[in-house]
């Protein structure tokens, strides 16, 4: 099977000395949807930022067989689309059209091709007809969808999504999960929302304190309560939270 992403011996410390990743080894096949779960501060976002070279460090990241380096960076970024946790970080144009068109224009697509990609991306996230709206006046659920469209318009082969359901109400969350289920490409989803993970991902990797501590089928991980409790993913048995639930 072809590997979408291969990470070897990846360690990373932030400039202030905080070590966020410790010797990560992980490989993801083309077509897989893999969850990256773990408590706050586990290193999930830091790991995702390495997948399209926003952060670089010791160790290697290989995308579709090509090692990420200065020479391949642009190509890698055309293959790996990263959706940030906060859509505000991805939306900066006066109109939805401009935001979704930004990537394809940057890639040198013709005007017709840009228009085609924008309509397909908006259709893909169920936001047709929003072209002239201001992204900043949309609801959080709508902003999230437009942020996804800004990446889909670049037609990536691998979609990397940080905390897709954060801050969404139950209905918006359900709709977003359905939307992501329909996207056919390889997906890596960082989340501590286990409900979303169960709905989306066949495989789950647990990250804690910058290390991979488990990697198995989602079914097997979710049925292992001591494992989930041990890594802050379920309330400890006997805690008052659990009794109230
Ligand atoms: N810009 C930063 N500068 C310094 N430390 C950071 C920065 N961003 C994250 N960290 C630290 O790196 C670790 C991993 O953070 P992060 O990748 O955001 O975790 P997660 O996404 O799993 O919550 C944490 O200890 C966090 O405090
Ligand atoms: Mg994070």
């Amino acid at each position: 099977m072809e590997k979408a992403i291969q990470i070897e011996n990846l360690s990373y410390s932030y400039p202030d000395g905080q070590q966020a990743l410790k010797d990560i080894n992980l490989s993801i096949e083309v077509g897989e949807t893999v969850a990256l779960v773990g408590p706050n501060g586990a290193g999930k976002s830091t790991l995702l930022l390495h997948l399209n070279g926003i952060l670089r460090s010791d160790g290697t990241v290989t995308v579709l067989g090509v090692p990420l380096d200065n020479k391949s960076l642009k190509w890698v970024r055309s293959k790996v689309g990263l959706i940030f946790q906060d859509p505000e970080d991805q939306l900066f144009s006066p109109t939805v059209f401009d935001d979704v068109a930004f990537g394809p224009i940057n890639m040198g697509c013709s005007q017709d091709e840009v228009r085609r990609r924008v309509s397909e991306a908006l259709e893909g996230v169920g936001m047709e007809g929003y072209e002239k709206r201001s992204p900043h006046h949309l609801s959080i659920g709508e902003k999230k969808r437009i942020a996804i469209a800004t990446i889909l318009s670049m037609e990536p082969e691998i979609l990397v999504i940080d905390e897709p359901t954060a801050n969404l109400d139950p209905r918006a969350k359900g709709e977003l999960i359905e939307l992501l289920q329909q996207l056919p490409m390889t997906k890596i989803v960082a989340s501590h929302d286990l409900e979303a993970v169960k709905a989306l991902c066949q495989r789950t990797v647990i990250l804690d304190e910058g290390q991979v501590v488990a990697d198995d089928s989602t079914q097997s991980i979710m049925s292992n309560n001591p494992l989930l409790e041990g890594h802050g993913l379920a309330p400890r048995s006997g805690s008052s939270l659990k009794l109230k639930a």
Side-chain angles (χ1 to χ4, degrees):
M1 265 205 172
E2 196 190 350
K3 287 193 176 22
I5 302 264
Q6 181 147 29
I7 301 168
E8 286 162 294
N9 309 116
L10 184 70
S11 296
Y12 181 74
S13 296
Y14 280 99
D16 67 359
Q18 176 66 35
Q19 185 165 17
L21 299 176
K22 297 173 193 160
D23 197 26
I24 303 279
N25 288 281
L26 189 61
S27 138
I28 292 166
E29 311 285 340
V30 168
E32 273 194 298
T33 297
V34 179
L36 195 60
V37 305
N40 291 325
K44 303 181 294 294
S45 298
T46 306
L47 182 57
L48 298 193
L49 291 171
H50 280 84
L51 300 183
N52 73 352
I54 293 176
L55 292 179
R56 307 266 293 275
S57 39
D58 299 341
T60 54
V61 174
T62 306
V63 174
L64 298 163
V66 178
L68 201 167
D69 56 22
N70 288 336
K71 231 172 50 196
S72 65
L73 186 61
K74 195 164 175 219
W75 181 86
V76 165
R77 289 195 175 155
S78 75
K79 297 292 169 191
V80 181
L82 174 59
I83 298 159
F84 295 117
Q85 174 170 352
D86 185 351
E88 301 286 352
D89 291 338
Q90 220 133 18
L91 305 173
F92 48 85
S93 303
T95 69
V96 164
F97 181 92
D98 290 342
D99 262 337
V100 182
F102 183 83
I105 289 172
N106 246 354
M107 292 164 79
C109 298
S110 70
Q111 267 187 17
D112 281 354
E113 177 70 5
V114 169
R115 271 196 291 271
R116 178 191 72 76
R117 284 176 177 238
V118 171
S119 354
E120 271 186 19
L122 288 177
E123 198 186 319
V125 298
M127 295 288 282
E128 307 97 319
Y130 276 68
E131 287 85 345
K132 294 195 174 122
R133 299 280 301 273
S134 161
H136 301 286
H137 298 154
L138 302 176
S139 74
I140 169 87
E142 290 170 331
K143 282 181 185 169
K144 202 93 193 180
R145 285 164 178 267
I146 299 300
I148 295 172
T150 67
I151 298 302
L152 291 183
S153 63
M154 292 187 274
E155 303 187 344
E157 288 183 35
I158 302 165
L159 208 54
V160 176
I161 318 162
D162 202 355
E163 305 277 2
T165 57
N167 305 320
L168 297 183
D169 64 35
R171 182 168 58 193
K173 176 172 144 175
E175 286 171 357
L176 194 84
I177 289 173
E178 264 177 45
L179 186 169
L180 294 176
Q181 279 170 334
Q182 279 159 22
L183 297 176
M185 61 284 275
T186 307
K187 282 169 278 187
I188 300 157
V189 183
S191 185
H192 49 228
D193 176 351
L194 300 189
E195 206 185 321
V197 166
K198 282 186 220 168
L200 282 171
C201 306
Q202 294 74 42
R203 176 179 160 204
T204 294
V205 173
I206 303 184
L207 204 64
D208 200 359
E209 296 185 354
Q211 287 177 301
V212 173
V213 295
D215 181 352
D216 208 338
S217 70
T218 299
Q219 202 178 15
S220 149
I221 297 239
M222 296 300 162
S223 58
N224 188 341
N225 237 10
L227 180 71
L228 295 175
E229 284 177 22
H231 297 289
L233 292 162
R236 291 205 178 274
S237 35
S239 84
S240 56
L241 255 179
K242 186 123 186 173
L243 293 175
K244 273 189 225 149

